[in-house]
Amino acid sequence: MRTLTRGPVAAAVLAISLAGCSFTPSIVQRAMDDDPDQLLAQAAQQQGTEAAETRLRAGDILARSGRRPQALEVLNNLDASQLSGESLRDWAMLLSELGDSEGNPQAVIKAAGVLDDLQLASDDANLLRLRQGLALGQLGQPQEAAQALMQVQSNTGREDINDAIWDQLSALNNRQLDALSQPDNAIVTGWLELTRLVNSSGGDIQGLFARLDDWRVANPDHPANRRLPSQIGKLRELRGQSVQNIAVLLPESGPLAGVADAIEQGIRTQQSNVVNGGGNGAQLSFLDASSASLDQLYQQAQSSGAQVVIGPLDKSDVTQLESRAELPLPTLALNYGQSAANQTKNLYEYGLSAEDEARQAARRGWQDGHRSASMLVPDNDWGQRVGEAFWNTWSELGGDIATAVRYNPGAPATDSTRRAISNPRPDMLFLLALPDYARQVPPTMEYYSASNLPVYATSHLYEGSPQPRLDKDLNGVQFADIPWNIPDAAVGGAEALPYYDSYRELKEQGSPSMFRLMAMGVDAYELARRMPQIQALPGSRIQGATGTLSTTGDARIYRELPWAQFSDGVPAPVFSDGLGDSAGASNDNATP
């Protein structure tokens, strides 16, 4: 940073300043005023409002001179509480513009914090709120993003943000949609009706557009009627491409037979309920994956008239498919192969991935403001894979790992927990554990005066049904799980769950230990029915039994999970949104 000018020039400047207020600044003075480094040095010697005003001026000059990253840093770090009036307005607009252009949505959110306190001109307020909505979407907060964007549209009537609004609304479940309701706002009401209409369409594209025509008649002046979101418009091209026949490749014997049985039960139950509900259910052909080669299975599938394949389940089979350039039929594998990325044409991969849950825990902890995390994971291959997923994501976000402890699952949790929470003390703990071990961790933390340390866990600590007496020791622990396992926390009650009829039937008949796999079967059937949509519209979302499902760049199905927090030993809602993004799915088995 430059230092203040010394010698004769400085003396001349001082003399002019002492001569009074009425003078024309010299070239030297103007050069000093326009030098952002000089201004920042000056601000370092100032306090309060004076320092904030000087830094704002320096940031503005830095931005206009092309030094935008430095301008963003200066404006993001100045004390905006010292600004008021036009200065506060200038800071908010410039910081939000820089945050938007430089890929820093947190800075945009910070700038938008003045919206409720500052009387902005309508154009400025709408522009700032638009940037806020887009930034919230980038940070994985679709409910808040949709609310902000629809408010902008209600104020302005803008149609060019329809795609942005739809991107956020399509990520919401029914409870989140209900929370956005504004009965007196026709724009909001129309959007919510349109979202529910599309969400309930299943794979029936023909039926969707029949209902869409009714919506358009009822909403002639709605911005989405005048300019249909592009993803919905593209669905028109899929008319006549409904899936009528699905081949399912599952092993009837071997180590995965029990897993396959649970998945098959979910598939059959959902198919039956779709048909009984008057829907266009696809015919199913089950082929024994343990009795034939992959090539033979595909030949059988084609002979049966299958349009889509569900399976295989075995990780080695999926890895084998990843080595091929193309598959003869669109295929939804029920596991992730070992390749770093899936490049096989017609191959999509879906599973219940603990690594995905670890990544979401990292993003959630970061969003909640934590920056130093400790890890407590089992000392086995599973713990290593999942632990690495958390570590890598946390590090990419910019977080520090205070301590990483790998524990013996057969030993008491006392010593490992003590090591994870002390020297140095983190500001959050990531926990990967099965129920018996997990229940020992919070009491140990309390013993070591760390009961207020936030704990983020995967679904594996919850057995799937409320057990208040056993799980009361987990009070305060946050964890991600499939909507079907935490209906109250996920959607506000079981009746609001996706595919409620199948949920009720499988919940009554199924084993809790296999329930997640049954839910996986339900979603596998629904994903297969929607295969034309998935192929034509990468990134489209489905509200499923196992989470909000979307495809990633390498054709892996990504699950965004809801979060719950133990309260009185029962999973309860967490009143903030988790982090959804389009990070890639992981290479993990369907079970630990």
Side-chain angles (χ1 to χ4, degrees), residues 268-591:
R268 289 188 182 277
T269 300
Q270 181 62 11
Q271 190 257 9
S272 174
N273 282 321
V274 169
V275 173
N276 292 338
N280 183 21
Q283 179 180 341
L284 298 171
S285 302
F286 285 85
L287 306 177
D288 183 7
S290 58
S291 65
S293 69
L294 287 172
D295 289 333
Q296 292 171 330
L297 291 168
Y298 273 103
Q299 290 173 2
Q300 295 176 43
Q302 288 176 301
S303 297
S304 71
Q307 299 162 275
V308 176
V309 168
I310 296 177
L313 175 62
D314 187 272
K315 193 179 193 71
S316 62
D317 286 341
V318 181
T319 302
Q320 186 183 145
L321 294 181
E322 286 181 333
S323 68
R324 304 186 180 187
E326 183 176 358
L327 300 182
L329 291 170
T331 299
L332 180 71
L334 298 175
N335 211 325
Y336 302 105
Q338 294 179 332
S339 301
N342 165 33
Q343 302 296 331
T344 302
K345 185 177 180 180
N346 275 341
L347 176 62
Y348 295 81
E349 299 176 0
Y350 165 60
L352 304 184
S353 166
E355 291 170 321
D356 269 355
E357 295 183 23
R359 293 186 181 99
Q360 290 181 51
R363 297 184 189 104
R364 177 120 194 156
W366 181 267
Q367 180 189 5
D368 287 348
H370 307 304
R371 297 296 180 263
S372 175
S374 282
M375 299 167 48
L376 191 56
V377 300
D379 189 11
N380 51 33
D381 290 341
W382 181 53
Q384 181 174 348
R385 290 197 315 271
V386 179
E388 285 180 356
F390 178 88
W391 181 301
N392 291 339
T393 301
W394 186 251
S395 299
E396 290 168 3
L397 290 168
D400 295 323
I401 299 293
T403 308
V405 176
R406 300 182 67 178
Y407 64 83
N408 176 359
T414 306
D415 183 61
S416 59
T417 303
R418 177 190 60 78
R419 289 186 287 123
I421 62 175
S422 58
N423 299 323
R425 175 67 63 89
D427 55 27
M428 67 164 279
L429 174 68
F430 169 66
L431 175 64
L432 175 67
L434 298 178
D436 287 345
Y437 192 93
R439 291 173 185 134
Q440 302 174 54
V441 173
T444 303
M445 293 172 61
E446 183 175 8
Y447 179 80
Y448 286 106
S449 302
S451 58
N452 292 327
L453 185 69
V455 179
Y456 296 79
T458 65
S459 63
H460 305 87
L461 85 172
Y462 181 51
E463 292 182 354
S465 58
Q467 301 180 85
R469 185 181 62 82
L470 288 175
D471 288 337
K472 64 181 180 180
D473 285 335
L474 292 170
N475 282 349
V477 174
Q478 293 188 47
F479 69 101
D481 206 344
I482 68 171
W484 272 22
N485 256 356
I486 51 172
D488 291 334
V491 294
E495 292 186 359
L497 285 170
Y499 321 127
Y500 172 67
D501 290 340
S502 294
Y503 164 83
R504 184 178 55 187
E505 184 175 338
L506 292 169
K507 193 71 172 176
E508 292 173 354
Q509 300 177 4
S511 161
S513 63
M514 292 292 181
F515 191 61
R516 290 185 180 93
L517 293 168
M518 295 174 188
M520 179 181 169
V522 169
D523 278 350
Y525 176 76
E526 290 296 330
L527 287 165
R529 290 178 68 207
R530 292 167 170 81
M531 188 57 72
Q533 176 181 339
I534 291 170
Q535 291 186 303
L537 301 173
S540 58
R541 297 184 179 100
I542 299 170
Q543 299 297 327
T546 62
T548 301
L549 310 177
S550 60
T551 53
T552 62
D554 59 356
R556 287 172 171 164
I557 305 298
Y558 176 72
R559 296 182 306 126
E560 178 66 29
L561 298 177
W563 283 80
Q565 179 172 306
F566 282 101
S567 176
D568 295 327
V570 175
V574 179
F575 293 104
S576 63
D577 284 279
L579 280 173
D581 68 24
S582 57
S586 64
N587 300 332
D588 195 19
N589 293 317
T591 58

